[in-house]
Amino acid sequence: MEFKPGLLVLLSISAVVWSVPIDRSAANQEPKDEIPENDTGLYYDRYLREVIEVLETDPHFREKLQTANAEDIKNGRLSKELDLVGHHVRTRLDELKRQEVSRLRMLLKAKLDSSNTQSLQMDHASLLKQFEHLDPHNQNTFEAKDLELLISTATKDLENYDAERHEEFKRYEMLKEHERREYLRGLDQEKREKEEKKMQELKEKHRQHPKVNAPGSVAQLREVWEETDGLDPQEFNPKTFFKLHDTNEDGVLDEQELEALFTKELEKVYDPKNEEDDMMEMEEERLRMREHIMKNVDANGDRLVSLDEFLKSTETKNFNSPKEWETLDAQPAYTEDELQRFEAELRDKEEELKRRAETLRQEQELLKERGKALEAQRKEYQQAVLEMSQRRKEQQAVDGQPPAGPNGELKFEAQKAEAVGQSNNIPAEPPHNRPTHT
């Protein structure tokens, strides 16, 4: 299946561009709980994908998408076309929204349970307002407002997604450096010097790699053309190159197709078998390369590279004479001040954890003391019951009453009666030999 231009804009906003065509023959198969290969990382990724796929099946909506541009989609004008889609499409969208609302309710319940929040009467409508990708006031039907909210929220979230990934990587690098310093601090001078020397050697070994071509430059593309595609570098043709790497033949290069072009460059620097190479750094490098191409080639900012944009980029100075690409090891991911603030944050969290641990220990001790007190009360109660039972037996013996059983019933002692009869020389007759009185 081939995506139309309008749909491509919508898909680019949600970063949901499939690498292979959708198989319509598999539409009636049971859904599989698998994470899509190109997962956006959004918590509503599956809902987003399913809504787009359902909308794409409607002929009217597809027709409008063919002429729609990014602004039509982002400003909500396209959402109004939802009122004209087929009944079966609206029914399916309604079903998808109810499923999403149900999923969000379960997430909210799990969150409240984990935080020990006691709420006998949860106002789900109010809680659902924190999710911006759907209309919480209408939880049963999918309306134009839902599509507008879904597109605007996905656009905003994905614009911040790369920045969040960079921030996560920075924190990862600072944590790694913090743990390195803590490890060295715990060694004696001789061992510390030995470890520092080893670490420095590994760092230098990592830096000794072949030159990395700038992403999107003629040198980088020619290398892919020759080594990946197996073609003659002297016959390099940008238009042919574009069509070769537009793997789903939709007329554009999406983010996944672009990142696939960087594999050869990344392999020059990173090898999972090498101790000195960090695969987390490789993924950060891949993200930087993709952002570099998008910044210089994606003229309309739709997160896609069209053939026209690609060909125009080959006419620029940066294409033929780019600056040398600087890898991550050439520029630190953080400053010393940022590292110190990060370590201070770690210390604060550690102190907070210690306080919580101490509070839990004190509560545990208190529970133990209460348990001991309850056990002592139980033993005292048992002793008091035994003493009362003994005093009752003694009193009954003094009063000549037969002893009482455990439930207060009287117990007669036949052996004692026989003993009394024998002392009076009265032979005891067995019950079956005694005369019957009429």
Side-chain angles (χ1 to χ4, degrees), residues 288-322:
R288 291 177 63 239
M289 288 180 170
R290 190 246 294 163
E291 288 179 327
H292 175 79
I293 284 191
M294 286 298 187
K295 179 181 178 182
N296 292 284
V297 182
D298 180 22
N300 64 0
D302 63 358
R303 301 175 74 97
L304 299 167
V305 175
S306 66
L307 176 60
D308 184 57
E309 289 172 329
F310 182 77
L311 293 177
K312 284 182 179 179
S313 73
T314 64
E315 300 170 0
T316 63
K317 180 181 178 182
N318 286 334
F319 181 73
N320 294 295
S321 303

Side-chain angles (χ1 to χ4, degrees), residues 77-121:
R77 281 198 292 269
L78 184 66
S79 302
K80 296 179 174 60
E81 300 296 330
L82 187 68
D83 295 332
L84 303 177
V85 301
H87 175 72
H88 67 287
V89 173
R90 292 300 295 268
T91 301
R92 179 61 182 143
L93 290 172
D94 292 346
E95 181 183 348
L96 288 176
K97 182 175 180 180
R98 287 192 291 269
Q99 291 174 356
E100 178 70 357
V101 169
S102 177
R103 185 183 71 87
L104 295 176
R105 283 174 173 169
M106 287 191 292
L107 286 175
L108 287 169
K109 185 178 185 303
K111 183 178 180 180
L112 292 172
D113 289 344
S114 65
S115 61
N116 296 321
T117 302
Q118 301 296 327
S119 178
L120 297 177
Q121 295 181 342

Side-chain angles (χ1 to χ4, degrees), residues 85-332:
V85 301
H87 175 72
H88 67 287
V89 173
R90 292 300 295 268
T91 301
R92 179 61 182 143
L93 290 172
D94 292 346
E95 181 183 348
L96 288 176
K97 182 175 180 180
R98 287 192 291 269
Q99 291 174 356
E100 178 70 357
V101 169
S102 177
R103 185 183 71 87
L104 295 176
R105 283 174 173 169
M106 287 191 292
L107 286 175
L108 287 169
K109 185 178 185 303
K111 183 178 180 180
L112 292 172
D113 289 344
S114 65
S115 61
N116 296 321
T117 302
Q118 301 296 327
S119 178
L120 297 177
Q121 295 181 342
M122 265 195 306
D123 186 354
H124 286 286
S126 298
L127 292 173
L128 284 171
K129 289 180 180 178
Q130 63 186 286
F131 301 109
E132 299 178 348
H133 65 286
L134 49 71
D135 180 9
H137 302 291
N138 175 14
Q139 301 177 22
N140 296 308
T141 59
F142 190 97
E143 305 296 339
K145 185 175 181 180
D146 289 293
L147 181 57
E148 183 179 346
L149 288 172
L150 184 60
I151 293 172
S152 62
T153 304
T155 302
K156 180 185 67 176
D157 291 345
L158 288 167
E159 285 174 351
N160 299 327
Y161 185 62
D162 288 346
E164 291 172 359
R165 283 182 59 184
H166 287 309
E167 186 61 29
E168 285 180 14
F169 175 75
K170 179 190 288 188
R171 294 179 68 83
Y172 166 79
E173 288 289 289
M174 290 191 291
L175 179 60
K176 193 166 66 172
E177 175 61 16
H178 168 74
E179 291 176 345
R180 186 189 73 85
R181 294 184 181 186
E182 289 296 307
Y183 169 69
L184 292 174
R185 192 176 289 120
L187 303 177
D188 59 44
Q189 184 174 353
E190 182 180 353
K191 290 183 177 179
R192 182 165 57 251
E193 290 176 353
K194 184 178 178 180
E195 283 297 311
E196 285 178 337
K197 182 180 179 181
K198 178 184 176 182
M199 291 176 179
Q200 188 61 33
E201 289 174 351
L202 289 174
K203 187 179 291 186
E204 289 300 323
K205 184 180 177 182
H206 173 70
R207 289 174 178 169
Q208 301 304 317
H209 55 72
K211 176 185 175 182
V212 177
N213 295 312
S217 66
V218 64
Q220 190 255 320
L221 299 184
R222 280 182 186 273
E223 193 171 75
V224 175
W225 175 275
E226 179 180 7
E227 298 187 17
T228 302
D229 303 333
L231 300 174
D232 186 347
Q234 301 303 318
E235 297 179 0
F236 174 75
N237 181 281
K239 187 173 183 179
T240 303
F241 182 92
F242 182 94
K243 292 187 175 181
L244 278 173
H245 294 277
D246 178 17
T247 55
N248 58 359
E249 301 179 353
D250 57 13
V252 294
L253 296 180
D254 59 60
E255 294 179 351
Q256 288 73 38
E257 290 167 334
L258 284 173
E259 290 183 356
L261 300 178
F262 312 143
T263 301
K264 282 292 177 185
E265 301 303 320
L266 294 169
E267 287 176 349
K268 296 177 182 178
V269 186
Y270 301 96
D271 186 341
K273 297 178 183 178
N274 294 339
E275 181 183 359
E276 67 273 12
D277 297 337
D278 189 332
M279 294 302 103
M280 287 286 289
E281 292 180 0
M282 184 184 75
E283 292 308 313
E284 175 70 7
E285 196 79 72
R286 190 191 306 274
L287 174 59
R288 291 177 63 239
M289 288 180 170
R290 190 246 294 163
E291 288 179 327
H292 175 79
I293 284 191
M294 286 298 187
K295 179 181 178 182
N296 292 284
V297 182
D298 180 22
N300 64 0
D302 63 358
R303 301 175 74 97
L304 299 167
V305 175
S306 66
L307 176 60
D308 184 57
E309 289 172 329
F310 182 77
L311 293 177
K312 284 182 179 179
S313 73
T314 64
E315 300 170 0
T316 63
K317 180 181 178 182
N318 286 334
F319 181 73
N320 294 295
S321 303
K323 294 181 180 179
E324 184 176 346
W325 181 257
E326 291 189 349
T327 55
L328 284 170
D329 50 84
Q331 45 187 342

Side-chain angles (χ1 to χ4, degrees), residues 353-363:
L353 288 174
K354 287 181 179 179
R355 286 193 293 270
R356 291 183 181 180
E358 178 61 22
T359 300
L360 290 174
R361 188 193 65 77
Q362 292 176 358
E363 291 177 352

